[in-house]
Structure formats: C-alpha cells, structure tokens
Amino acid sequence: MARPTMEDVAARAGVSRALVSLVMRGSPKVSDQRRAAVLKAAEELGYSPHAMARSLASRTSHVLGVMVSDLHNAFFAEVVDGLDAVATEQGFDLIINTGGRSPARERRALQSLLSFRPAGLVLLSPVVPSADIGRAADQTSVVLVARSSRLAAVDTVNDDGERGITLAVDHLVSLGHKRIAHLDGGEGTQAAPRRRGYLAAMASHGLVPQVVSSEYTDAAGARAVQGLLGDMPTAIISCNDFNAVGAISALEDAGYRVPEDVSVVGYDNTSLAALRHISLTTIDQPRNEFGRLAAEALLQRVRGEREEPVRHLLHPSLVVRSTTACPGGRVGRSTSPAAPPNLPEAGRSNTGGTS
C-alpha cells in the first residue's frame, strides 16, 4: 500500500494542501476546528510528515546529524545515549551514520548527513582532515567529540588524555611495576595526548618507556601483544578497552596469566570493561556526559545563543578492577584513588580557548 501523502490528508479533511502544511508545521494561523479535522484525517490515514520535506518547507530543521567513528565500540553508543537524551528533551531527532574510521568513507558520510539539511552535526572521533570539518561548519553547526579543533566555528568535548594515562602509570608504579608498555592509538584521535601523558609519567618515575604502535581495536591489541612475546613487560596500558580485551586474549593464548604475569589497564570504562568475566581496570571517561555536553553546545549554536567556541575538557578517573596486581600476582593496593563502580558526574571545564 502506498504511503499516504499530504494531498490524501487534504482530500479526507476537505481542506487545501496548503492548510494541511500549516497544521503540520504547527502554525497558529489555523482555527482549532480545522486543525482538529486535519489531525483526525492524518490519524485515520496513518500519515506522518516526512522530516526532510518538512524542514525544507519551513526552512528550519529539528534533525541533528551524528557521525560515529566505529559502530563496534560501546564508547560511542554511550555517548549517543547522552546526545539522544538532550535532543529528545529539546524536540530534536537524530540521524546516525558511520565512517568506519576511514577518511574517504567519513567524507561521504558527512555529505550524506548534510543532504538532510540538519540543524547541526555531532562528529564522534572523526578522522577526516580539518578542512572537511571546516567545510561542514560553513554549512551548519558542528561539535566534535573526542577530537580537538582550533576552528572558531567548531565546538569540542574531550577528556584530559594526558591526565588519564598518568593515572594509569601511577597506579601500576604504586603496585611495583617498572616495565610498563603502552599500546597506543596510532594515528587515531586522542592518541597523541595519551602518548604524551605516558611518556611524561614514565619519565617522572625514572622509568624507560615502551610505546608499541597499535590502534583502537581488539585485533590491534592482540597483534601488539604478539610483537611483545619475546620480551614481555610486566604491565600494559592499552589505548582503549577494546584494545585491552584483545591484548588480554592474546596474552592468555600465549600462556600468560592476567594479572598474575601481566597487568593490563584499558581506557574509556565502557560497559565491556565492567563485565564480571573481564573486570578490566581502566580509565573512566564520562561517556553520557560527553553526549549531553555536545548536544547542549550544538543547540546553543543552533539557537544563536553564542558565536565563540566552547572547549569542554572533562576529568578522567581511575577504576580499579581485577586485571591489575603487583608483579608476580601478589595482592597489593594502589595508592591512586579508585573511583567506585557508580561514578559521580565528572568535573568539567568550559573555556573559549583551544583544548
């Protein structure tokens, strides 16, 4: 059966198509009697207005576009939860697509989202060049999550990656570890500040750093561990939770026990990390808060409430679970403060400078 149109509603209600359009846009120029007749006809026919067509007709949009870097990563799902909560509260809908961590695919995904004429875009850890982000910002409001930017027309929401990795190093050192490797995020967003934090923290403890090139996936974590089999450190800090799970799997396949032989720390504190059979020590990023802040920043731009950029920088915290112990598996206690499973709202900063 064909989808009912605005013309069908007009015929059923005995009014003009233009009047139906006014009703669907919420115009106050329609009498209560005619509005009721149109809405009754629409309900009987099962008609719902096409969001894109409605936006084009009214020159306003109640759609927010969201591009997710990696649909397999639970971190992004939890950020989207925060986005969706604010969008729903404010009467906006989300359109979501993915670029699959590929610059070329992300460029196409951006164009696809822009074709819907959204009120604004939220890009979650995008890997496209800044020039592409700038061109998108010329067309609509843009907020980046888990990526920095110096573009004045683009807002950002990030965590303090240098601080987060420092918490991980300090925790492992407090347990007695001296040989601590970092499986980094390669060219991925936020890999550089975490790498800097690791190098600085190791230097502060007088330890020799070992950075292993990796990526934000479980497969990359497993490959990185395989490259360490000839000279295994006593502890590993992964670039994210997925990478850590891959590292743990490869360690166990090679006969190493976690944490008795090798301690492992992740990053993000996704729902995966909290699963009882994984119980991963990790660095918490307040994912839901990321989403809420991004949506609030975007809607401020949409409503013309400000023009200066907002740079949110949230404070990470350490969550100690079962994948870290003293070298040799001895039970020990970290001197670093461990956050409880139900974390309080993270602190935040909001400045006009770059993060």
Side-chain angles (χ1 to χ4, degrees):
M1 182 178 179
R3 175 177 174 170
T5 66
M6 200 173 288
E7 287 79 3
D8 296 329
V9 175
R12 173 68 68 94
V15 300
S16 68
R17 184 190 183 284
L19 185 69
V20 174
S21 177
L22 288 173
V23 171
M24 295 305 165
R25 283 155 40 198
S27 172
K29 298 179 180 180
V30 183
S31 69
D32 291 343
Q33 181 179 359
R34 287 193 165 188
R35 187 185 310 280
V38 169
L39 293 176
K40 182 174 184 291
E43 182 179 1
E44 290 172 351
L45 291 171
Y47 170 81
S48 60
H50 189 285
M52 184 177 176
R54 183 173 57 194
S55 296
L56 289 172
S58 64
R59 298 188 179 182
T60 62
S61 175
H62 285 81
V63 169
L64 303 179
V66 181
M67 187 175 74
V68 180
S69 174
D70 184 358
L71 289 175
H72 300 283
N73 192 334
F75 169 82
F76 297 113
E78 295 174 48
V79 173
V80 170
D81 280 343
L83 283 169
D84 183 60
V86 173
T88 300
E89 289 168 5
Q90 301 299 320
F92 285 78
D93 297 314
L94 301 184
I95 297 177
I96 302 173
N97 70 2
T98 182
R101 303 191 309 276
S102 161
R105 283 190 58 193
E106 284 196 359
R107 191 174 292 112
R108 292 194 296 272
L110 263 178
Q111 291 305 312
S112 176
L113 287 174
L114 288 169
S115 71
F116 285 91
R117 308 284 182 89
L121 295 176
V122 181
L123 311 182
L124 307 187
S125 196
V127 298
V128 288
S130 293
D132 292 295
I133 295 171
R135 281 190 287 270
D138 289 338
Q139 300 177 60
T140 190
S141 300
V142 175
V143 177
L144 303 182
V145 174
R147 175 166 169 173
S148 300
S149 175
R150 294 182 179 274
L151 297 172
V154 175
D155 300 317
T156 60
V157 183
N158 289 293
D159 90 316
D160 187 344
E162 292 189 39
R163 174 61 180 160
I165 288 292
T166 298
L167 291 173
V169 172
D170 290 349
H171 166 63
L172 292 168
V173 170
S174 75
L175 293 173
H177 292 277
K178 298 183 183 300
R179 298 185 60 219
I180 304 168
H182 175 41
L183 312 189
D184 76 0
E187 298 300 316
T189 61
Q190 301 307 299
R194 295 177 191 177
R195 199 159 43 235
R196 288 195 303 269
Y198 165 78
L199 293 172
M202 292 291 282
S204 73
H205 291 290
L207 301 177
V208 177
Q210 184 178 12
V211 176
V212 180
S213 181
S214 192
E215 295 177 329
Y216 293 118
T217 66
D218 53 347
R223 287 195 300 270
V225 164
Q226 289 164 3
L228 292 170
L229 292 180
D231 187 22
M232 186 63 64
T234 65
I236 288 172
I237 302 172
S238 282
C239 54
N240 71 354
D241 290 348
F242 267 28
N243 184 281
V245 169
I248 290 171
S249 177
L251 285 167
E252 292 177 345
D253 286 346
Y256 289 92
R257 299 168 300 165
V258 176
E260 291 85 354
D261 300 319
V262 183
S263 287
V264 178
V265 180
Y267 205 111
D268 288 345
N269 193 29
T270 58
S271 55
L272 177 71
L275 293 175
R276 185 165 55 86
H277 69 284
I278 296 177
S279 191
L280 178 67
T281 293
T282 187
I283 302 301
D284 179 76
Q285 294 193 82
R287 288 84 57 208
N288 191 273
E289 183 73 356
F290 272 41
R292 295 191 69 90
L293 287 173
E296 289 167 2
L298 187 60
L299 293 177
Q300 287 170 1
R301 289 272 196 178
V302 168
R303 293 167 180 149
E305 295 173 0
R306 62 173 171 80
E307 293 183 0
E308 72 281 2
V310 163
R311 308 290 186 227
H312 288 297
L313 188 66
L314 279 68
H315 307 308
S317 56
L318 174 69
V319 181
V320 178
R321 295 194 179 97
S322 302
T323 58
T324 52
C326 298
R330 292 176 287 107
V331 176
R333 178 177 292 276
S334 170
T335 57
S336 301
N342 295 318
L343 293 164
E345 180 176 322
R348 66 175 85 167
S349 69
N350 180 359
T351 70
T354 56
S355 56

